[in-house]
Amino acid sequence: MAYVEKINISNFKSHFSFQSEILSSSVVVCGNNGIGKTNLLESLSFFSNSKGMRGDKLDNFFYHKGDIKTKYLNVESWLKQKDYSTNISYELICEENSINKNFFIDKKKISNQDICELVNFIWLSPHMDRIMYEGNTIKKNFIDKIISNLDKDFKKSISNFKKLSEERIALLINNGDSKWLSIIEQKMAIVFFNILKKRRENIFLLNEISEKLLNSFKKFKIDIINNLEETLKSRDACLEKMIAIMHNNRTLDQSIKRNSFSPSIDQVSFYDCDKQLNSDMCSTGEQKSILLSVILAFAWMYKNKDVPFILLFDEISSHIDEHNIEKFFDEVVKFETQAWYTGTNKNIFQAIENKAFFIDLA
Ligand SMILES: Nc1ncnc2c1ncn2[C@@H]1O[C@H](COP(=O)(O)OP(=O)(O)OP(=O)(O)O)[C@@H](O)[C@H]1O
Ligand SMILES: [Mg+2]
């Protein structure tokens, strides 16, 4: 579906200058700790998220050595899709008080949203491991990110709810007009309801993909629940209940200066279907496998919608045994798109050794 066939990097983190032609749809970046493997994947992830896969501060992206810090970085990649090739690139310029980001397609300045129309980078990095064992907020945010990536309306709903919440709190604090407050609460209820619905629809799809398409690798199930679950079946009844709760909470919310009733009421849990256990209770390797499976299911959602994507797997082999990693590679091949892997040890990639393109960083 989509392949990076060449990459040129200047001044991106530890990569002062790096060029490579990429000769396969499986790319393995190897090398010792600290050599720049993750940075290489991060430079690609920046095309899909302007903070990159580690959500770093923009200032940290410029190559620096000792006291010398560069003020300009550039990443350029040639993207092959079907029978045409496109040049996609971005530059970061450090000005006196700001950092400017510019994205280009075939040297023409565009927004990074335009790049998403062409290709999306989907990644998994070690810092995401905690999703499987930490609390509800991180799990829910992860699900929201997955949905937002494919559904821009959902993303808008999340930010709309935040704006309306701020407006409601400002009105409460300033003892604003109660009629206006009711209008805001009605609007909030509609957005709130849509968010809860969309989460359920997408979790249903992810579960369905796990059941039907992830035949070699671990099957998972995601559960989502809150104490309005029954009411969700009827939109009008649910909106009425939501509005009533917000109305009742006015005094409380005024004193705590935040909305105590919000879409974070949803509780998200991940389950290992073989073990029939909540991910919180699974072993480290099992947790990692569930996470890998969720990313595979997410990639299937892209594939099913015909949205081009490239996969970036940073250190996936940590905690996964040889047998499972082979099964994982089998699943990835089905996407017929490019997948990048990093690792300190080449042996892990024996199963794809013959077809993978190895980048040895030294
Ligand atoms: N802005 C920067 N300029 C120069 N070097 C940087 C910059 N930011 C980070 N680095 C360095 O880049 C190096 C490589 O980091 P990276 O995370 O890519 O390593 P890695 O090969 O993935 O290592 P590991 O195997 O430990 O995951 C680190 O030593 C880090 O200190
Ligand atoms: Mg790394």
Side-chain angles (χ1 to χ4, degrees):
M1 277 183 23
Y3 304 86
V4 170
E5 52 180 6
K6 193 175 164 196
I7 183 163
N8 262 359
I9 303 177
S10 307
N11 295 342
F12 187 98
K13 290 203 167 175
S14 58
H15 295 289
F16 171 64
S17 172
F18 174 86
Q19 293 88 30
S20 182
E21 303 230 346
I22 314 292
L23 303 174
S24 171
S25 55
S26 302
V27 190
V28 178
V29 185
C30 311
N32 293 339
N33 295 135
I35 202 75
K37 302 180 295 295
T38 304
N39 292 346
L40 185 49
L41 264 52
E42 197 175 16
S43 72
L44 290 172
S45 70
F46 204 90
F47 281 111
S48 292
N49 176 319
S50 54
K51 282 182 172 175
M53 63 199 263
R54 290 194 260 210
D56 224 342
K57 281 202 311 209
L58 287 184
D59 195 37
N60 291 344
F61 286 101
F62 297 90
Y63 171 84
H64 69 260
K65 197 169 189 180
D67 290 341
I68 300 163
K69 189 164 177 193
T70 51
K71 294 198 173 298
Y72 179 84
L73 74 80
N74 172 259
V75 175
E76 189 173 16
S77 113
W78 284 260
L79 193 72
K80 179 112 179 133
Q81 275 163 305
K82 296 192 182 108
D83 50 358
Y84 57 92
S85 180
T86 318
N87 178 284
I88 55 172
S89 63
Y90 60 83
E91 59 181 14
L92 253 63
I93 307 160
C94 187
E95 313 252 294
E96 192 111 327
N97 295 317
S98 65
I99 294 174
N100 290 334
K101 288 178 275 191
N102 298 316
F103 289 85
F104 303 86
I105 292 181
D106 288 333
K107 313 278 179 191
K108 272 196 216 96
K109 201 167 161 184
I110 41 96
S111 75
N112 77 329
Q113 197 45 47
D114 292 325
I115 297 215
C116 296
E117 306 283 318
L118 263 184
V119 69
N120 293 268
F121 289 89
I122 299 177
W123 57 84
L124 182 70
S125 65
H127 81 266
M128 290 160 73
D129 290 357
R130 61 198 187 102
I131 296 166
M132 287 299 122
Y133 56 81
E134 278 194 4
N136 183 56
T137 309
I138 184 169
K139 292 187 169 80
K140 188 181 49 56
N141 290 346
F142 174 56
I143 290 294
D144 283 355
K145 268 204 183 130
I146 286 186
I147 306 172
S148 302
N149 270 303
L150 274 161
D151 185 340
K152 299 301 161 216
D153 287 342
F154 180 80
K155 198 173 175 185
K156 262 188 226 148
S157 297
I158 297 275
S159 68
N160 265 352
F161 190 86
K162 205 169 155 235
K163 270 189 220 138
L164 289 164
S165 294
E166 285 162 4
E167 206 175 329
R168 175 174 178 267
I169 293 300
L171 272 169
L172 284 171
I173 293 172
N174 300 318
N175 291 315
D177 178 19
S178 85
K179 264 195 199 147
W180 186 234
L181 199 53
S182 298
I183 292 171
I184 301 268
E185 286 171 353
Q186 275 169 28
K187 284 188 187 172
M188 282 171 78
I190 294 168
V191 182
F192 196 157
F193 179 82
N194 290 343
I195 292 173
L196 300 190
K197 273 282 183 204
K198 272 274 155 66
R199 280 187 186 145
R200 279 150 186 76
E201 282 165 22
N202 282 280
I203 285 177
F204 176 83
L205 285 178
L206 287 166
N207 285 338
E208 198 176 47
I209 290 170
S210 163
E211 200 185 315
K212 294 190 179 150
L213 296 177
L214 300 184
N215 296 323
S216 316
F217 206 60
K218 188 170 281 304
K219 290 190 185 289
F220 65 82
K221 185 168 180 291
I222 309 173
D223 262 1
I224 182 158
I225 192 148
N226 68 45
N227 49 17
L228 289 179
E229 210 60 43
E230 274 308 302
T231 345
L232 274 177
K233 287 174 193 155
S234 151
R235 185 177 186 271
D236 290 347
C238 189
L239 293 183
E240 203 178 304
K241 180 135 193 196
M242 285 171 155
I243 291 165
I245 295 174
M246 281 188 264
H247 192 274
N248 285 342
N249 286 353
R250 283 183 186 179
T251 318
L252 168 73
D253 293 356
Q254 187 181 35
S255 64
I256 60 174
K257 297 191 174 59
R258 66 174 178 81
N259 283 293
S260 48
F261 183 58
S262 75
S264 50
I265 54 166
D266 269 336
Q267 296 288 319
V268 177
S269 315
F270 292 84
Y271 290 89
D272 177 325
C273 288
D274 310 323
K275 287 271 164 107
Q276 302 200 341
L277 270 184
N278 187 309
S279 69
D280 294 339
M281 295 166 75
C282 289
S283 75
T284 316
E286 286 164 346
Q287 286 172 344
K288 183 80 180 200
S289 299
I290 299 172
L291 185 58
L292 285 169
S293 281
V294 177
I295 297 294
L296 290 175
F298 174 41
W300 271 112
M301 285 168 93
Y302 272 83
K303 183 153 174 88
N304 290 341
K305 289 193 172 189
D306 234 356
V307 180
F309 64 93
I310 289 177
L311 297 156
L312 307 174
F313 295 115
D314 190 21
E315 295 295 339
I316 46 149
S317 59
S318 54
H319 314 304
I320 302 289
D321 60 42
E322 240 171 69
H323 176 63
N324 269 324
I325 202 90
E326 268 187 44
K327 288 180 169 177
F328 181 74
F329 293 141
D330 290 345
E331 290 291 351
V332 173
V333 162
K334 294 178 192 164
F335 294 125
E336 296 171 328
T337 196
Q338 196 171 46
W340 291 61
Y341 304 93
T342 67
T344 45
N345 182 355
K346 270 189 190 173
N347 295 340
I348 305 149
F349 302 100
Q350 247 165 18
I352 52 167
E353 196 174 37
N354 293 331
K355 53 178 184 183
F357 177 72
F358 283 80
I359 299 177
D360 271 302
L361 295 178

